[in-house]
Amino acid sequence: MSTHNDDFPTDNPAVVTCGLPYANGDLHIGHLRGYIGADAFNRALQTLGQETAYVCGSDMHGTPVAVNAEQQGVDPADFALDWHEQYEETFPKFNVDFDNYGHTHDETNTELTQEIVRKLDDEGYIYEKEIQVAYDPDADQYLPDRYVEGTCPYCGEKARGDECDEGCQRHLEPGEVEDPTSTITGNPAEYRERTHKFFEVSEFADFLTEFLDGLEGTSNARNQPRQWIEDGLQDWCITRDMDWGIDYPGEDGDGDDLVLYVWVDAPIEYIASTKQYSERVGTDEYDWEQVWKGDGEIMHVIGRDIIQHHTIFWPAMLEGAGYNKPRGIAATGFITINGKGLSTSRNRAIWAKEYLDEGFHPDLLRYYLTTTGGLQQDVDFSWDAFQEKVNGELVGTVGNFWYRSLLFAYRNYEGTPDTDVSAEVEERIEGAIGDVRENVNDYSMRGVGQAATQLAQFGNEYIQRNEPWKLTDEEPEEAAQVIRDCVQIAKAVGVLLEPIAPDKAQDLWEQLGEDGAIADAHLEDALEAPPRNFDEPGELFGKIEDDRVDELTEKLEERVAAASDDGEESDDGDAETESDDTAASESENMAETDDLEPLLEDRIGFEDFQELDIRVGRIESAEGIEGADDLAKLEVDIGFETRQVVAGIKQLHDLDELPGTKCVLLANMEPAELFGVESNGMILAAGEEADLLTTHGDASLGEKIK
Ligand SMILES: [Zn+2]
């Protein structure tokens, strides 16, 4: 990726932010992934010598908060503040080390928001317009954003009032959602005419195109907005008919209850929080104005569902109000649990509190979440995979190497042998430092973690190859050299791993007898000699046992089952359809492999493959299943017999055209029942459009795919 920016570290101060959590519910692994990823990125920048601050805050406003507070019959301010305080306590427990954590309802943000909106108004970027606003006649109330649901006018999926959360991820303007229904009463909503304020985003198309060309981060954060700009930018309605929020400047007092849309004041909290940090440490130490109004490096880590807010609306607002623009935006993929979408309503989630209560160290989760997939990729969590990663990489590779090399050094030399590091090992460490540098500049925390683990892997091989335990008596100098090298590698692994596993790295630091905090170390310190003497080391990682994993997996399954017993079962049919990454399908840019599901790293044996009984078939008939939006019932001839199969292709194919089509069927799929129809096999298809797999020669029906 070519950009116009200098590599990190630069001479300018940087700020790293992470999307604000809505102050309306418990934190779970889906949240943590972003905050941990951004925290690791910020720490990694510091190890490069970059001056940075990591700031964030709770999002107190908006309808997600108002709706939930209303349901519980409490004041939204109290409701949001309660959650805010919980978040403030929870993040540090995962070593998410914000330099400042504010909230959008505090004075700094309120003042700054009104100042920026006034400035946009003065510059002529805000105008008034009459629009249709959803209204619930029974509740006698306007229905902004999440007070209304309906159908997305762009893709036809079910959508919230302000975003197409299940479909194309677009931001939706008031009045856009079709077939509006009130979420207060469940009744159909009316549209009524109201005067609202609009921000002229359309004026910024050229600016935004250029901005995106220079933007670093993940490719999805560039590609999606390019498409939106091409489709034509719409101006944004920036006011809402609500009490809860920041008043439109100068508008209060006319009884009209116009507050600013939450997406105006939420990102401004990035600036407000930086300002608070700056005011606390002094502008000599860190100057928020240099960052936000001068030449600072601004990096946002966000969820991919809020790309539009951060790549269109936000930079336009910054430009219009005379602020600096972001250098990088990294949009993270989602978390799935045991291969299925994380769902808080179904209790299919790993909660932050739960993880800690189970007694696991936060660094284990940090390592899992940052190294299992790239930032942009979806990451699946299962207790099995967690165990495998921890036992394999942290216990087996890193912990094992740390312990054996330090213990050997302690027993034979009471610390670091008194000699210099060999050229081979020095070079290897320099190589790892170079890898980290490159990966930080590529926004790849996974790459940073891998560089550290691979260095430990090298250390294990080095010790194995040189067998110092055989040398101590006969070749004492050679033995001392090998152990000296290993102690240096151990220290280097600690320095490299610190952004991802800060506590464990600090423990190692102390075992080596180093002073101060490893968090203050720079990458080059990985090559500095450790202290001559240190005490007997202890093991820093413990294995996760199988029965522990079984117990946790069972617990999770039981509570998901309990939650779905309470809820409607009718939506189970589409529970596994995912892959909502619109960039890949809309642009049909097959070269953008970053937008594809990641390749699985685990290889399977040929025997595993042979367990799949895949056959050539022919579709004999196809009809829709009543009551199921996506499902069709197919009769498929596979030579020996005709199978009835249910497939999620109703909306993607013309069912009348399908009979006679050759297809590929997984014949030994466990039978299932969907909407009362038995499915006895699975049709194979590719991608979101369910492109049916077939054969191109004359393979006859029933032939096995091998
Ligand atoms: Zn949509």
Side-chain angles (χ1 to χ4, degrees):
M1 188 73 229
S2 70
T3 64
H4 321 290
N5 298 311
D6 294 335
D7 276 0
F8 295 116
T10 69
D11 294 334
N12 310 321
V15 67
V16 175
T17 76
C18 194
L20 313 186
Y22 270 130
N24 72 346
D26 284 310
L27 295 174
H28 54 66
I29 193 171
H31 297 109
L32 289 174
R33 185 203 183 172
Y35 300 106
I36 287 170
D39 180 80
F41 180 52
N42 184 63
R43 287 172 185 269
L45 283 169
Q46 286 173 348
T47 67
L48 261 59
Q50 177 72 44
E51 184 192 2
T52 70
Y54 180 31
V55 304
C56 192
S58 304
D59 190 349
M60 312 285 276
H61 299 137
T63 51
V65 172
V67 168
N68 285 351
E70 195 168 308
Q71 276 166 2
Q72 296 190 13
V74 292
D75 182 62
D78 297 338
F79 176 86
L81 210 55
D82 264 3
W83 285 114
H84 167 71
E85 283 162 7
Q86 280 199 37
Y87 299 168
E88 254 185 326
E89 279 173 27
T90 305
F91 286 126
K93 292 179 183 165
F94 287 89
N95 295 323
V96 171
D97 189 12
F98 293 119
D99 290 301
N100 194 72
Y101 189 79
H103 66 72
T104 58
H105 199 61
D106 64 25
E107 224 177 86
T108 316
N109 192 56
T110 305
E111 281 172 9
L112 201 56
T113 298
Q114 295 194 328
E115 186 187 308
I116 286 174
V117 172
R118 243 182 255 121
K119 173 84 172 159
L120 292 173
D121 204 356
D122 291 347
E123 297 290 324
Y125 292 119
I126 292 177
Y127 62 91
E128 284 189 342
K129 195 171 105 179
E130 300 257 298
I131 53 160
Q132 301 291 317
V133 176
Y135 180 81
D136 184 333
D138 289 332
D140 188 24
Q141 191 180 327
Y142 287 101
L143 301 172
D145 309 323
R146 300 215 185 160
Y147 281 103
V148 63
E149 284 174 357
T151 309
C152 171
Y154 299 98
C155 72
E157 287 292 319
K158 190 168 174 256
R160 293 167 171 163
D162 65 338
E163 64 166 316
C164 179
D165 58 322
E166 289 181 24
C168 64
Q169 312 273 324
R170 272 189 178 81
H171 163 81
L172 300 178
E173 283 289 286
E176 275 200 308
V177 73
E178 290 167 358
D179 309 316
T181 307
S182 164
T183 58
I184 305 172
T185 60
N187 294 332
E190 300 172 354
Y191 274 127
R192 290 195 176 183
E193 196 139 282
R194 296 277 290 162
T195 302
H196 276 272
K197 307 275 186 185
F198 278 75
F199 172 44
E200 235 170 340
V201 182
S202 55
E203 284 291 299
F204 294 86
D206 291 342
F207 162 76
L208 290 169
T209 302
E210 200 177 309
F211 161 71
L212 290 169
D213 286 344
L215 185 67
E216 297 177 358
T218 53
S219 61
N220 53 352
R222 289 184 294 273
N223 296 339
Q224 286 193 13
R226 277 190 183 126
Q227 184 67 41
W228 290 320
I229 294 172
E230 239 168 74
D231 293 349
L233 289 176
Q234 282 190 67
D235 295 339
W236 273 46
C237 178
I238 55 165
T239 43
R240 292 293 186 269
D241 296 285
M242 281 174 78
D243 295 328
W244 178 236
I246 294 179
D247 289 325
Y248 190 89
E251 282 289 301
D252 28 315
D254 63 357
D256 238 4
D257 292 331
L258 270 196
V259 298
L260 284 161
Y261 179 41
V262 62
W263 275 106
V264 176
D265 65 87
I268 292 173
E269 170 65 14
Y270 298 144
I271 309 177
S273 195
T274 318
K275 187 179 178 198
Q276 286 172 338
Y277 171 62
S278 209
E279 283 170 353
R280 204 174 62 243
V281 298
T283 45
D284 290 347
E285 171 100 18
Y286 186 93
D287 185 358
W288 73 278
E289 283 190 293
Q290 190 191 344
V291 174
W292 286 98
K293 293 181 174 172
D295 49 11
E297 321 281 8
I298 301 166
M299 267 83 60
H300 299 304
V301 176
I302 58 170
R304 71 158 178 242
D305 51 336
I306 51 176
I307 288 177
Q308 195 172 9
H309 309 87
H310 284 82
T311 57
I312 301 283
F313 188 51
W314 175 232
M317 218 156 78
L318 289 169
E319 172 73 4
Y323 281 76
N324 190 4
K325 60 183 185 293
R327 166 173 172 154
I329 297 180
T332 64
F334 295 139
I335 293 277
T336 56
I337 307 285
N338 292 332
K340 295 182 178 175
L342 185 150
S343 165
T344 53
S345 60
R346 289 172 200 208
N347 220 338
R348 194 190 297 121
I350 306 295
W351 302 96
K353 184 175 182 311
E354 170 193 16
Y355 176 87
L356 296 170
D357 286 350
E358 294 292 353
F360 291 111
H361 194 281
D363 284 359
L364 308 186
L365 187 67
R366 289 178 65 102
Y367 184 80
Y368 184 88
L369 291 176
T370 45
T371 61
T372 299
L375 267 181
Q376 181 168 340
Q377 294 163 344
D378 290 346
V379 164
D380 187 54
F381 181 92
S382 67
W383 287 110
D384 278 318
F386 178 67
Q387 176 200 31
E388 197 184 320
K389 189 125 192 124
V390 169
N391 289 358
E393 294 174 25
L394 290 178
V395 181
T397 302
V398 176
N400 179 40
F401 174 67
W402 278 352
Y403 184 62
R404 71 200 287 206
S405 47
L406 264 61
L407 188 65
F408 203 89
Y410 165 75
R411 285 192 179 151
N412 293 281
Y413 309 94
E414 292 173 337
T416 312
D418 196 7
T419 178
D420 289 335
V421 178
S422 70
E424 180 196 356
V425 164
E426 193 169 62
E427 239 170 72
R428 180 63 184 76
I429 294 174
E430 279 167 358
I433 290 174
D435 286 349
V436 167
R437 209 177 277 286
E438 204 170 298
N439 278 298
V440 176
N441 275 289
D442 283 345
Y443 295 72
S444 173
M445 289 308 100
R446 182 192 204 188
V448 170
Q450 282 171 341
T453 312
Q454 281 161 7
L455 184 60
Q457 181 66 40
F458 168 81
N460 279 319
E461 285 159 16
Y462 189 76
I463 231 176
Q464 212 61 41
R465 167 155 50 96
N466 290 293
E467 301 181 306
W469 47 89
K470 286 190 183 165
L471 298 172
T472 37
D473 296 333
E474 295 133 48
E475 311 263 8
E477 276 180 24
E478 250 182 75
Q481 181 65 62
V482 173
I483 292 307
R484 174 68 185 82
D485 285 347
C486 287
V487 173
Q488 194 67 51
I489 297 169
K491 174 173 172 174
V493 170
V495 171
L496 268 49
L497 199 60
E498 186 278 333
I500 292 172
D503 270 0
K504 296 294 184 180
Q506 178 65 30
D507 289 348
L508 175 89
W509 198 245
E510 286 164 18
Q511 288 193 356
L512 283 169
E514 296 277 2
D515 290 330
I518 193 171
D520 297 333
H522 289 174
L523 285 177
E524 290 69 25
D525 294 328
L527 289 162
E528 295 290 316
R532 172 65 192 85
N533 291 107
F534 52 79
D535 295 333
E536 184 170 357
E539 293 192 62
L540 292 178
F541 294 102
K543 233 174 147 176
I544 303 173
E545 300 299 334
D546 290 347
D547 50 358
R548 200 69 185 93
V549 169
D550 293 345
E551 178 200 325
L552 289 161
T553 305
E554 205 172 305
K555 235 191 232 181
L556 176 63
E557 280 168 2
E558 275 172 12
R559 74 164 192 248
V560 171
S564 58
D565 283 349
D566 302 339
E568 325 98 74
E569 285 167 62
S570 60
D571 57 355
D572 274 355
D574 61 359
E576 287 182 58
T577 59
E578 36 145 7
S579 179
D580 42 0
D581 203 342
T582 50
S585 59
E586 282 183 4
S587 64
E588 284 175 26
N589 186 353
M590 302 317 274
E592 276 296 340
T593 50
D594 280 355
D595 287 329
L596 296 172
E597 267 186 41
L599 288 171
L600 295 181
E601 283 185 5
D602 286 346
R603 299 303 177 110
I604 61 167
F606 184 62
E607 276 128 61
D608 292 325
F609 172 71
Q610 280 196 310
E611 288 197 30
L612 302 173
D613 192 1
I614 309 174
R615 302 287 177 152
V616 176
R618 185 177 59 217
I619 299 174
E620 299 299 329
S621 71
E623 54 184 278
I625 295 175
E626 213 172 300
D629 288 342
D630 306 315
L631 300 180
K633 181 173 86 174
L634 312 175
E635 297 286 341
V636 181
D637 187 352
I638 52 166
F640 315 87
E641 60 195 46
T642 298
R643 291 285 190 86
Q644 176 175 298
V645 172
V646 175
I649 59 169
K650 187 167 155 184
Q651 308 214 351
L652 302 168
H653 291 273
D654 185 350
L655 298 185
D656 292 336
E657 303 255 348
L658 285 179
T661 306
K662 255 182 156 183
C663 64
V664 172
L665 182 108
L666 177 58
N668 64 337
M669 186 78 192
E670 229 167 43
E673 202 181 278
L674 295 154
F675 282 80
V677 180
E678 204 203 357
S679 182
N680 193 8
M682 187 171 96
I683 289 263
L684 302 188
E688 288 185 51
E689 300 297 314
D691 192 355
L692 295 178
L693 264 58
T694 187
T695 57
H696 296 281
D698 51 5
S700 47
L701 301 187
E703 292 258 46
K704 192 162 193 265
I705 312 279
K706 46 190 182 184

